[in-house]
Amino acid sequence: MELENNTQISKFLLLEFSEEPEMQPLIFRLLFGLFLSLYLITVVGNLLIILAIISDSHLHTPMYFFLSNLSFVDICFISTTIPKMLVNIQTQSKVISYEDCFTQIYFFLLFVQLDDFLLTVMSYDRYVAICHPLHYTVIMNAWLCALLVLVSWMIGALNSLLQTSLALCLSFCTVLEIPHFFCEFKEVIQLACSDTFLNKTMMYFAVGLLGGGPFAGICYSYSRIVSSIHRISSAQGKYKAFSTCASHVSVVSLFYCTALGVYFTPAVTHNSHSSVTASVMYTVVTPVLNPFIYSLRNKDIKRALRKFLRMATILEPIVLRQKKC
C-alpha cells in the first residue's frame, strides 16, 4: 500500500453517518436534530449548574466544587466532537482537516481524562463524607480540593500532549477514512502505515494506568462506603446515603464500561458500528445525564437554581431600562 508523508496529508474522511446512501436525507435531518438537542441540553444544563453553584454561598463546599468542575469539563468534552459532526451532517461533508483532526484528538483525550479523574475525586469526596464525617472539613479543605483539580488538569494535559505528539510522527496511507463521527484516537492510529507499536503500547499503558487506576480507586471507595452504610442503624440514614451514591455509581458505570470497552475490544472482533455506539454513550449521553442525575434530584441544587432564575428575572428589566437610558 502506498505511503503518504504525514506533512502532505491535508484531510481525513469521517465516514460514520455518511457511508450508507439510504440514510440520506431524512435520517441525516433526524440525526442533526437529535444531536443538536442533546448538545444544547448538555451545555445549558451544565452551565446552569455552574451558575447556580457560584451564586449560592451555601453550595461552596467540596462536593459542589467538584461538581461545577465536572460540569465545565462536560461542556468542553461534548464541544470537542459534536459541533464538527453537526456541521458535517448539515453540509453532508465527510472532511476534517489534518490539523483539526489532531487538535480534536488532543482535546478529546484531555477532557475524557479529566472526566475520569473528576469522577474519581468525587467518589473519594463521598468516601470521606460517609466514612469519616467528623474529619470531613479537615481532610477536604480548600487547598486539597484545588490541588486535586490542578493535578488532574496537569496529568491530563501532559498525557494528551504525549499521545498526540507520538501520533503526529506517524506516516499514513493514502486511505484516510475514519469509520467514526470524530477523530477517534484508536481509529486514527490504525490508519497509519508506519510502525505503531510504540503508539499502541503507550495508548494501552495510559488507558490501563489513567483509566484502570482511578476505576480501581472508585471501586475501593464504594466498597468502603457500602460497608459503612451497613453499619448505620437508621433506615432513613441508610436510604439517604444510598441515594446519594446511586447517582454517581450509575454515571461511573456507564462512562467506564463504554470507554474501556472501546479501547480494549480486540481488533479481530472490532465492529465500527458497535464502537460508535459505545463512544456515543460516554461522549454524549454521559454529559447529558450529568445535570439530571447529579443535580435535578438534589434539593440544594434545585433551590439554588430557583434562586438564580428568580434573580435573573428581577435583574432583566433593570438591565433593559439601563440600556434604553
Side-chain angles (χ1 to χ4, degrees), residues 6 9-12 96-103 168 172:
N6 56 2
I9 295 172
S10 61
K11 63 185 179 181
F12 289 92
I96 182 169
S97 69
Y98 179 82
E99 294 79 9
D100 287 348
C101 183
F102 279 92
T103 301
L168 284 168
F172 291 89

Side-chain angles (χ1 to χ4, degrees), residues 198-209:
L198 178 60
N199 300 81
K200 290 181 178 179
T201 301
M202 292 302 297
M203 178 181 70
Y204 288 122
F205 176 77
V207 172
L209 181 64

Side-chain angles (χ1 to χ4, degrees), residues 37-47 74-75 78 284 287-288 291:
S37 301
L38 291 174
Y39 178 70
L40 292 176
I41 290 170
T42 302
V43 172
V44 173
N46 284 291
L47 189 59
D74 278 341
I75 292 173
I78 199 170
V284 180
V288 169

Side-chain angles (χ1 to χ4, degrees), residues 137-149:
T137 54
V138 177
I139 297 174
M140 300 302 296
N141 56 71
W143 183 86
L144 178 62
C145 293
L147 181 64
L148 288 171
V149 173

Side-chain angles (χ1 to χ4, degrees), residues 46 49-50 53 59-74 114-115 117-126 128 136 139-150 152-153 248 290 294:
N46 284 291
I49 292 172
I50 295 170
I53 292 172
L59 300 183
H60 295 175
T61 62
M63 182 177 77
Y64 293 111
F65 171 70
F66 295 133
L67 178 59
S68 63
N69 276 274
L70 182 67
S71 295
F72 173 74
V73 169
D74 278 341
L114 283 170
D115 249 357
F117 294 147
L118 287 172
L119 288 172
T120 307
V121 168
M122 290 174 74
S123 70
Y124 175 70
D125 174 73
R126 292 298 84 207
V128 176
Y136 178 73
I139 297 174
M140 300 302 296
N141 56 71
W143 183 86
L144 178 62
C145 293
L147 181 64
L148 288 171
V149 173
L150 179 61
S152 297
W153 275 92
H248 186 252
N290 178 39
Y294 283 117

Side-chain angles (χ1 to χ4, degrees), residues 89-310:
I89 291 176
Q90 184 67 15
T91 60
Q92 295 190 20
S93 170
K94 307 175 185 179
V95 175
I96 182 169
S97 69
Y98 179 82
E99 294 79 9
D100 287 348
C101 183
F102 279 92
T103 301
Q104 191 178 69
I105 286 174
Y106 174 81
F107 285 106
F108 178 82
L109 292 175
L110 171 62
F111 292 123
V112 77
Q113 288 168 95
L114 283 170
D115 249 357
D116 176 21
F117 294 147
L118 287 172
L119 288 172
T120 307
V121 168
M122 290 174 74
S123 70
Y124 175 70
D125 174 73
R126 292 298 84 207
Y127 159 73
V128 176
I130 294 174
C131 299
H132 304 284
L134 298 179
H135 302 94
Y136 178 73
T137 54
V138 177
I139 297 174
M140 300 302 296
N141 56 71
W143 183 86
L144 178 62
C145 293
L147 181 64
L148 288 171
V149 173
L150 179 61
V151 169
S152 297
W153 275 92
M154 289 176 63
I155 295 174
L158 290 173
N159 181 62
S160 300
L161 181 62
L162 173 63
Q163 301 286 350
T164 309
S165 299
L166 289 174
L168 284 168
C169 297
L170 295 172
S171 295
F172 291 89
C173 305
T174 53
V175 179
L176 299 174
E177 298 175 344
I178 303 172
H180 228 293
F181 66 91
F182 68 98
C183 282
E184 206 275 326
F185 184 53
K186 185 179 178 182
E187 297 287 351
V188 172
I189 288 178
Q190 290 175 347
L191 293 176
C193 288
S194 55
D195 184 22
T196 59
F197 175 77
L198 178 60
N199 300 81
K200 290 181 178 179
T201 301
M202 292 302 297
M203 178 181 70
Y204 288 122
F205 176 77
V207 172
L209 181 64
L210 303 179
F215 182 65
I218 291 174
C219 292
Y220 175 76
S221 295
Y222 276 102
S223 67
R224 296 295 301 273
I225 287 171
V226 170
S227 178
S228 295
I229 290 174
H230 279 304
R231 291 197 293 268
I232 297 175
S233 56
S234 167
Q236 186 177 2
K238 285 184 178 182
Y239 174 77
K240 185 177 179 180
F242 268 121
S243 62
T244 302
C245 299
S247 300
H248 186 252
V249 169
S250 60
V251 173
V252 166
S253 301
L254 177 64
F255 178 83
Y256 276 99
C257 291
T258 52
L260 295 177
V262 167
Y263 283 92
F264 285 115
T265 301
V268 178
T269 60
H270 183 73
N271 180 280
S272 62
H273 290 285
S274 61
S275 175
V276 169
T277 302
S279 295
V280 167
M281 294 302 287
Y282 79 91
T283 60
V284 180
V285 177
T286 302
V288 169
L289 290 177
N290 178 39
F292 298 99
I293 291 181
Y294 283 117
S295 306
L296 296 183
R297 295 179 58 189
N298 186 301
K299 292 181 180 179
D300 294 331
I301 288 288
K302 283 182 178 180
R303 186 187 67 249
L305 282 171
R306 283 195 293 267
K307 180 180 176 182
F308 173 77
L309 294 173
R310 197 160 48 242

